[in-house]
Amino acid sequence: MSDYSDYMECVRKMKPLVHHITNYVTVNDCANICICSGGSPVMTDELKDLDDMVSISNAVVLNMGTLNERTVESMMHAGIAAKKKGVPVVFDAVGAGATAYRKNVAKLIIDRVKPDIVKGNEGEISFLSGIEGGVRGVDSASSNDNIGRDVKALAKKLGCIVASTGKTDYVSDGDVLYELSNGDDMEGNVSGTGCMVTSVIGSYVGANGAKAESVAVAISAFNIAAEHASKNCRGPGSFKVALFDELFSLKLGELDSEIRIQKL
Amino acid sequence: MSDYSDYMECVRKMKPLVHHITNYVTVNDCANICICSGGSPVMTDELKDLDDMVSISNAVVLNMGTLNERTVESMMHAGIAAKKKGVPVVFDAVGAGATAYRKNVAKLIIDRVKPDIVKGNEGEISFLSGIEGGVRGVDSASSNDNIGRDVKALAKKLGCIVASTGKTDYVSDGDVLYELSNGDDMEGNVSGTGCMVTSVIGSYVGANGAKAESVAVAISAFNIAAEHASKNCRGPGSFKVALFDELFSLKLGELDSEIRIQKL
Amino acid sequence: MSDYSDYMECVRKMKPLVHHITNYVTVNDCANICICSGGSPVMTDELKDLDDMVSISNAVVLNMGTLNERTVESMMHAGIAAKKKGVPVVFDAVGAGATAYRKNVAKLIIDRVKPDIVKGNEGEISFLSGIEGGVRGVDSASSNDNIGRDVKALAKKLGCIVASTGKTDYVSDGDVLYELSNGDDMEGNVSGTGCMVTSVIGSYVGANGAKAESVAVAISAFNIAAEHASKNCRGPGSFKVALFDELFSLKLGELDSEIRIQKL
């Protein structure tokens, strides 16, 4: 268990450029957490800007939090361009189950872009499991006891890495399934912690390639920082500030000794 | 005076879903203050997303801070859909008096959507009072001594709740007029405190219905949190961080004992 | 060296209205740092809103961080309207060298709007120096030893003030060249510090007019605040919070005694 921190070290040394097309609610936090994870964020969604930007990027993050017709087109274009060049694509299916439009966009991006990593919270991944090949017909999963199984099945079905975040996080490439137990309840009291995790994943796969283990360590690093942050905070405001500080300052040895990861 | 906190308790228990179409300047703060007030924020302005999103929401917040033609259409659509379903609509007329376009959009939303709550700062409400039935012809009110009277008259004219924020806040449904005296000058040194108040109002009317008293308590809870936050801050940056912490941690008893509310 | 703080005092007394058309990543930080610098920010990019808004503004900030076709048109329109009225225009050429589209937009804004101040980081200004009259053909300048010379030459060529930020900052009007040595490495770990500096420049030229010295003092005030902020921070999160506090509280005497400015 001594090499999980190799992933973190690699991110910090390489400073991968992570191109985001993301929502306007949490975009600033995504940029800053990307920096604190060791990456270098860039955000642009103008079609004319995308080919050039993708060509210098090490990873592309697509987040449909505040999607609109223009940015959906941009996400499709950037995602497809990235795949052609072998740049890892991370897709965060924010609110996939909340509206029909989001369901359709999520399906479109998954089918056409074929992201390397599909990420969502438990409800979103459960929903995608339902519409993609009928693993189970779940609309929103406040209590999906089989989320780990769903993550693995969806990863196998889609032929990519799937990551589900929640009380317990799961990551699978369809073969191995990682169960992750770090994190703090305070994360649920801050808008955009899910989006921030996705940006951290962007940094990790940008530097380490699209491997399930690198995704698992990205999530764990963020969650360990959250555990540290919650110790000295007075509420959601100071927790968020500390989260940036703690991820930025997280030591390699701390990651290795505090990570709670299980290969199932 | 022991039951003002019932409104707060009700918000925290219900966690109302508050759908926002708001500006890109302060949207993250709106999301986070909504959570800290006890609500659950969601932001989307894509036309195709709105009917589904409104149908699962407990309140809709329309904020024209960085309006554009596309989002004005979305605000109209979401507002009208919400009214049809009986979902309370809160409208923040940001910058209503600053440009002719904003004046027209404010008038359009007020006339067509018929929001349950029209909210603005003293200048904006004074301006709306001027254009809506000529209560008084004020362009911008650095010193509108009759703002309380204007709020009540505008509420009566529009048949809705009107809220004006400033050194002293006023809320009226055209019948009762509440004068609110909590708050701290530091609020004026942070961008978006007005928008944040509107999001807190969204949580309160989402859980408690569109009543003048519930709007008054929402504003007061925010302002009491601001008073607490200003005690330990070193400037606008740390004040804003503390504001989230303090609203999140505000106790029922503190609200009841510290609220300064007068029914006129 | 006792009168640099006159610029700061003037901003605080006048509270200039600084109209921004800027990116959605760092816009909230721009608004708040503008307030902390003594200015009053307003953000709008809707074409129909611009003439009225520009007409009441003391400075206009154009920042192409997340440009798109609609906002580029808005930046052109607002910039040209401002110049007609004698309102100082500050242009931040974010990412000018990263894509062909950005290069074209930067060139278009510089040629057509003729901003009073062109600002960028070392790489961006080096890039603009290359495309504008072939001072040198630099794409991105991780190490441009001649950046000071380039800033002055570009200022002379464009007939405006040019400001380059980095380890050392340079400001020139084509005649005088200021070399500025305040600042802290932690600035590089926060997204948008460059954008924030531009907003502070907006406040300073809004109150003091478009003079090279007023731009130099704006940058220095921000960087001195950063030096103060870094002393008590625990990482990028708490550094950013402190940055707002420190600029807001910076004393006239501190500015005068701590500023490291050299006229070359």
Side-chain angles (χ1 to χ4, degrees):
Chain A
M1 212 196 266
S2 69
D3 37 335
Y4 289 127
S5 64
D6 291 351
Y7 292 104
M8 184 161 85
E9 203 177 8
C10 182
V11 177
R12 290 176 174 175
K13 278 187 183 156
M14 182 184 173
K15 288 190 179 294
L17 188 66
V18 184
H19 175 202
H20 290 70
I21 299 181
T22 187
N23 67 78
Y24 59 83
V25 183
T26 65
V27 59
N28 184 264
D29 292 333
C30 290
N32 278 308
I33 206 73
C34 181
I35 293 174
C36 291
S37 74
S40 179
V42 68
M43 275 76 181
T44 181
D45 58 33
E46 165 56 42
L47 211 53
K48 293 182 177 174
D49 224 15
L50 297 179
D51 286 329
D52 286 353
M53 202 59 96
V54 166
S55 75
I56 56 170
S57 297
N58 301 109
V60 169
V61 167
L62 309 176
N63 173 313
M64 66 176 201
T66 52
L67 78 186
N68 61 53
E69 288 202 298
R70 186 180 68 77
T71 55
V72 168
E73 195 188 340
S74 298
M75 285 195 273
M76 295 292 295
H77 187 94
I80 289 168
K83 290 294 292 185
K84 266 190 198 154
K85 288 177 188 294
V87 178
V89 175
V90 190
F91 171 50
D92 192 336
V94 180
T99 72
Y101 181 57
R102 280 165 192 266
K103 173 185 151 181
N104 292 340
V105 169
K107 206 164 160 35
L108 192 72
I109 290 177
I110 289 172
D111 291 352
R112 299 269 179 85
V113 173
K114 301 188 189 308
D116 297 275
I117 296 102
V118 172
K119 188 260 175 190
N121 63 28
E122 208 173 291
E124 289 149 3
I125 294 298
S126 299
F127 178 78
L128 293 178
S129 295
I131 62 170
E132 286 287 342
V135 181
R136 295 187 319 120
V138 184
D139 261 14
S140 93
S142 40
S143 59
N144 178 355
D145 293 336
N146 299 305
I147 181 67
R149 200 188 62 188
D150 283 2
V151 164
K152 188 169 174 181
L154 185 60
K156 187 163 279 181
K157 172 78 173 58
L158 300 179
C160 73
I161 298 165
V162 172
S164 163
T165 54
K167 190 91 184 158
T168 305
D169 313 298
Y170 293 93
V171 179
S172 178
D173 54 12
D175 185 16
V176 187
L177 175 65
Y178 291 95
E179 185 180 85
L180 313 172
S181 311
N182 291 101
D184 189 278
D185 283 348
M186 191 54 89
E187 292 179 54
N189 296 320
V190 173
S191 172
T193 43
C195 305
M196 286 191 248
V197 170
T198 305
S199 292
V200 176
I201 294 173
S203 294
Y204 274 67
V205 300
N208 297 293
K211 297 172 228 159
E213 196 169 81
S214 119
V215 173
V217 176
I219 297 171
S220 300
F222 181 86
N223 281 336
I224 292 169
E227 292 173 3
H228 293 192
S230 79
K231 273 177 201 150
N232 297 305
C233 79
R234 305 187 63 240
S238 48
F239 171 75
K240 189 169 93 170
V241 172
L243 189 51
F244 294 113
D245 288 350
E246 295 292 345
L247 185 61
F248 183 79
S249 323
L250 188 61
K251 294 192 176 69
L252 300 178
E254 288 174 328
L255 178 71
D256 284 326
S257 67
E258 297 174 31
I259 195 168
R260 292 205 296 274
I261 189 170
Q262 231 186 317
K263 220 187 243 187
L264 301 179
Chain B
M1 213 196 267
S2 72
D3 37 334
Y4 289 127
S5 64
D6 291 352
Y7 292 104
M8 186 162 82
E9 203 177 8
C10 182
V11 177
R12 290 175 174 177
K13 277 187 182 154
M14 182 184 173
K15 287 189 179 296
L17 189 66
V18 184
H19 176 200
H20 291 69
I21 300 182
T22 186
N23 67 77
Y24 60 81
V25 183
T26 65
V27 58
N28 184 263
D29 292 333
C30 290
N32 278 308
I33 206 73
C34 181
I35 294 175
C36 290
S37 75
S40 179
V42 68
M43 275 75 180
T44 181
D45 57 35
E46 164 58 42
L47 212 53
K48 294 183 176 173
D49 223 15
L50 297 178
D51 286 328
D52 286 353
M53 203 59 95
V54 166
S55 75
I56 57 170
S57 297
N58 301 109
V60 169
V61 168
L62 308 176
N63 173 313
M64 67 175 200
T66 52
L67 78 185
N68 62 54
E69 289 202 298
R70 185 180 67 79
T71 55
V72 168
E73 196 189 340
S74 298
M75 286 195 274
M76 294 293 294
H77 186 96
I80 290 168
K83 290 294 292 183
K84 267 190 199 156
K85 288 177 188 293
V87 177
V89 175
V90 190
F91 173 50
D92 192 337
V94 180
T99 72
Y101 181 58
R102 280 165 192 267
K103 173 186 153 181
N104 293 340
V105 170
K107 207 164 160 35
L108 192 73
I109 290 177
I110 288 171
D111 291 352
R112 301 268 180 86
V113 173
K114 301 188 189 308
D116 298 274
I117 296 103
V118 172
K119 186 256 172 192
N121 62 29
E122 208 172 291
E124 289 150 2
I125 294 298
S126 298
F127 178 80
L128 293 178
S129 294
I131 63 171
E132 287 287 342
V135 180
R136 294 189 317 122
V138 183
D139 261 13
S140 92
S142 40
S143 59
N144 179 353
D145 292 336
N146 298 304
I147 180 69
R149 200 188 62 188
D150 284 1
V151 164
K152 189 170 172 178
L154 185 60
K156 188 164 277 179
K157 172 78 173 58
L158 300 179
C160 73
I161 298 165
V162 172
S164 164
T165 54
K167 190 92 186 156
T168 305
D169 313 297
Y170 292 93
V171 179
S172 177
D173 53 11
D175 185 17
V176 188
L177 175 65
Y178 292 95
E179 185 180 86
L180 313 173
S181 312
N182 291 101
D184 189 277
D185 283 347
M186 191 52 89
E187 292 180 54
N189 296 319
V190 173
S191 171
T193 43
C195 304
M196 286 190 249
V197 170
T198 305
S199 292
V200 176
I201 294 173
S203 295
Y204 274 67
V205 300
N208 297 293
K211 297 173 230 161
E213 195 169 82
S214 119
V215 173
V217 177
I219 296 171
S220 300
F222 181 86
N223 281 336
I224 292 169
E227 292 172 3
H228 292 192
S230 80
K231 272 175 204 153
N232 297 304
C233 79
R234 307 188 62 240
S238 49
F239 171 76
K240 189 169 91 170
V241 172
L243 189 52
F244 294 113
D245 289 350
E246 295 291 346
L247 185 61
F248 184 79
S249 322
L250 189 61
K251 294 192 176 69
L252 301 177
E254 288 174 328
L255 178 70
D256 283 327
S257 67
E258 298 175 29
I259 196 167
R260 292 206 295 274
I261 188 169
Q262 229 185 320
K263 219 187 245 188
L264 302 179
Chain C
M1 215 197 267
S2 72
D3 37 334
Y4 289 127
S5 65
D6 290 353
Y7 291 104
M8 186 161 83
E9 204 177 7
C10 182
V11 177
R12 289 176 174 175
K13 277 188 181 154
M14 181 186 175
K15 286 190 180 296
L17 189 65
V18 184
H19 175 201
H20 290 68
I21 300 182
T22 186
N23 68 77
Y24 59 84
V25 182
T26 65
V27 58
N28 184 263
D29 292 332
C30 290
N32 279 308
I33 206 73
C34 180
I35 294 174
C36 290
S37 74
S40 180
V42 68
M43 274 77 179
T44 181
D45 57 35
E46 165 56 43
L47 211 52
K48 293 181 176 174
D49 223 15
L50 297 179
D51 286 330
D52 286 353
M53 203 59 95
V54 166
S55 75
I56 56 170
S57 297
N58 301 108
V60 169
V61 167
L62 309 177
N63 172 315
M64 65 175 201
T66 53
L67 78 186
N68 62 53
E69 289 202 299
R70 185 180 68 78
T71 55
V72 168
E73 196 188 341
S74 299
M75 285 194 274
M76 294 292 295
H77 186 95
I80 290 167
K83 289 294 291 184
K84 266 189 199 156
K85 287 176 188 294
V87 177
V89 175
V90 190
F91 172 50
D92 192 337
V94 180
T99 71
Y101 181 58
R102 281 166 191 266
K103 172 186 153 180
N104 294 340
V105 170
K107 204 161 163 38
L108 192 72
I109 290 177
I110 289 172
D111 291 352
R112 299 268 181 86
V113 174
K114 300 190 190 304
D116 297 274
I117 296 103
V118 172
K119 186 259 175 193
N121 62 29
E122 207 172 292
E124 289 150 3
I125 294 298
S126 298
F127 178 79
L128 292 178
S129 294
I131 63 170
E132 287 289 342
V135 181
R136 294 191 317 122
V138 185
D139 262 14
S140 93
S142 40
S143 58
N144 179 355
D145 292 337
N146 298 304
I147 181 68
R149 199 188 62 187
D150 284 1
V151 164
K152 188 168 174 182
L154 185 60
K156 186 161 279 179
K157 172 77 172 58
L158 299 179
C160 74
I161 298 165
V162 173
S164 163
T165 55
K167 191 89 186 160
T168 304
D169 313 298
Y170 292 93
V171 178
S172 178
D173 54 11
D175 184 17
V176 188
L177 174 65
Y178 292 94
E179 184 180 87
L180 313 172
S181 311
N182 290 102
D184 189 277
D185 284 346
M186 191 53 89
E187 292 180 55
N189 296 319
V190 173
S191 172
T193 43
C195 305
M196 287 190 248
V197 170
T198 305
S199 292
V200 176
I201 294 173
S203 295
Y204 274 67
V205 300
N208 297 293
K211 296 172 228 160
E213 194 169 83
S214 120
V215 173
V217 177
I219 297 172
S220 300
F222 182 85
N223 281 335
I224 292 169
E227 292 172 4
H228 293 191
S230 78
K231 272 177 202 150
N232 296 304
C233 78
R234 306 189 62 240
S238 49
F239 171 75
K240 189 169 92 170
V241 172
L243 189 51
F244 295 113
D245 289 350
E246 294 291 346
L247 185 61
F248 183 80
S249 322
L250 188 61
K251 294 192 177 69
L252 301 177
E254 288 173 329
L255 178 70
D256 283 326
S257 66
E258 298 175 29
I259 195 167
R260 292 205 295 275
I261 189 170
Q262 231 186 316
K263 217 187 245 187
L264 302 180

